[in-house]
């Protein structure tokens, strides 16, 4: 069994500086390992060294590649089509981008084959190609996607919202279960984020909340069935 874990860790040198976020990642990895002792748990990270330090039972999966994959695809497209991509007319580059997006979501194994066949033309892309192939291999063979504890679904974390929702969308489209643990939700009023969440949240298998205040009402407004939600912190402890 292969489990992919997303986090609320910061980026760059600050990635493992918030010990609250690190602790939530550690708890998620430990509990997943207890449930599935033989599972391969792969965590999206920019620092394999720090992941090994804090979560020795987890394996690193390139968060940088993921961010290109589901976010700004300029780097990915430039890699696919080398330097010619930047010189193409916008109408053609847009169509190529659309084709890649369709392959990403509908025929990922075929896209993986194309990337494997793409030579490294002395462009310094060997490391990126290796990390991209490893990422795609995991995405194509994952059994579960887990978003560990976070207070990210708020108006202050728009970029994290998009990253997490877009990654979840890839797994949902591939019929791979998505679970979100220990989430703090709200205040959340961004219409674009809410629209995306309304499409995806009802398809998430389980969402556990730090507390029910505000979060339950938001999930209800997004069409999430109460059977998919548990309150595991704050109010649950008080009760």
């Amino acid at each position: 069994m292969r489990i992919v874990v997303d986090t609320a860790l910061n980026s760059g040198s600050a990635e493992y500086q918030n010990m609250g976020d690190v602790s939530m990642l550690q708890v998620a990895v430990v509990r997943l390992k207890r449930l599935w002792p033989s599972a391969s748990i792969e965590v999206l990270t920019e620092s394999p060294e720090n992941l090994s330090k804090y979560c020795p039972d987890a394996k690193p999966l390139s968060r940088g590649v993921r961010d290109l994959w589901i976010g700004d695809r300029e780097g990915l497209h430039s890699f696919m089509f080398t330097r010619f991509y930047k010189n193409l007319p916008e109408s053609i580059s847009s169509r190529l981008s659309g084709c890649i997006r369709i392959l990403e979501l509908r025929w990922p194994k075929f896209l993986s084959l194309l990337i494997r066949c793409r030579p490294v033309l002395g462009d310094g892309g060997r490391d990126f190609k290796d990390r991209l192939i490893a990422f795609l291999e995991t995405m194509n063979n994952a059994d579960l996607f887990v978003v560990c504890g976070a207070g990210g679904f708020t108006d202050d974390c728009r970029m994290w919202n998009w990253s997490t929702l877009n990654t979840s969308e890839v797994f949902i489209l591939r019929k791979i279960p998505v679970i979100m643990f220990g989430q703090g939700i709200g205040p959340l009023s961004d219409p674009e984020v809410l629209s995306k969440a309304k499409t995806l949240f009802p398809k998430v298998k389980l969402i556990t909340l730090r507390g029910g205040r505000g979060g339950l009402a938001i999930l209800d407004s997004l069409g999430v069935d109460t059977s998919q939600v548990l309150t595991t912190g704050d109010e649950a402890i008080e009760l």
Side-chain angles (χ1 to χ4, degrees):
M1 183 172 183
R2 301 184 75 165
I3 303 172
V4 178
V5 178
D6 202 358
T7 76
L9 298 177
N10 293 315
S11 59
S13 60
E15 187 177 15
Y16 288 85
Q17 296 303 304
N18 185 319
M19 295 313 297
D21 290 336
V22 172
S23 296
M24 287 188 284
L25 171 61
Q26 289 176 312
V27 169
V29 170
V30 167
R31 291 184 177 178
L32 288 169
K33 203 66 177 176
R34 285 177 184 170
L35 288 170
W36 295 286
S38 62
S40 173
I41 300 174
E42 302 180 49
V43 176
L44 290 159
T45 182
E46 297 176 22
S47 175
E49 297 80 10
N50 278 317
L51 178 66
S52 176
K53 174 182 177 182
Y54 291 110
C55 300
D57 287 333
K59 300 176 182 178
L61 186 63
S62 176
R63 192 166 77 174
V65 170
R66 187 280 304 272
D67 291 344
L68 280 176
W69 187 253
I70 54 89
D72 180 3
R73 293 178 174 75
E74 184 70 26
L76 178 61
H77 294 167
S78 294
F79 174 80
M80 286 290 294
F81 302 110
T82 68
R83 69 198 67 175
F84 301 109
Y85 177 78
K86 294 183 178 180
N87 298 322
L88 292 172
E90 184 176 349
S91 59
I92 296 177
S93 62
S94 295
R95 289 180 182 179
L96 286 174
S97 297
C99 289
I100 289 181
R101 181 58 173 166
I102 292 172
L103 290 175
E104 287 173 354
L105 297 177
R106 301 298 181 184
W107 295 287
K109 292 185 178 181
F110 179 66
L111 182 57
S112 297
L113 178 62
L114 291 180
I115 292 173
R116 288 177 185 275
C117 293
R118 188 270 196 197
V120 179
L121 303 172
D123 54 7
R126 170 63 65 185
D127 178 63
F128 178 76
K129 180 177 180 177
D130 290 343
R131 288 187 291 124
L132 179 56
I133 290 173
F135 174 80
L136 292 177
E137 198 272 334
T138 296
M139 294 290 284
N140 291 335
N141 295 283
D143 298 292
L144 179 67
F145 177 58
V146 173
V147 181
C148 72
F153 286 111
T154 71
D155 288 327
D156 294 330
C157 303
R158 192 173 195 272
M159 289 184 64
W160 185 86
N161 290 336
W162 277 116
S163 175
T164 302
L165 289 171
N166 285 337
T167 306
S168 299
E169 180 181 29
V170 172
F171 286 101
I172 288 170
L173 286 173
R174 298 180 188 184
K175 302 187 184 305
I176 296 168
V178 174
I179 295 176
M180 298 179 176
F181 291 134
Q183 296 300 307
I185 298 179
L188 187 59
S189 59
D190 187 310
E192 292 182 325
V193 172
L194 286 170
S195 177
K196 187 82 168 180
K198 191 169 186 176
T199 300
L200 296 175
F201 272 23
K203 300 174 184 177
V204 175
K205 297 298 183 181
L206 176 66
I207 303 173
T208 73
L209 298 176
R210 295 180 181 183
R213 300 183 185 92
L216 283 172
I218 291 174
L219 291 178
D220 182 65
S221 71
L222 296 174
V224 179
D225 192 274
T226 54
S227 64
Q228 299 167 246
V229 183
L230 290 176
T231 301
T232 57
D234 296 346
E235 288 184 0
I237 293 175
E238 291 175 13
L239 291 173

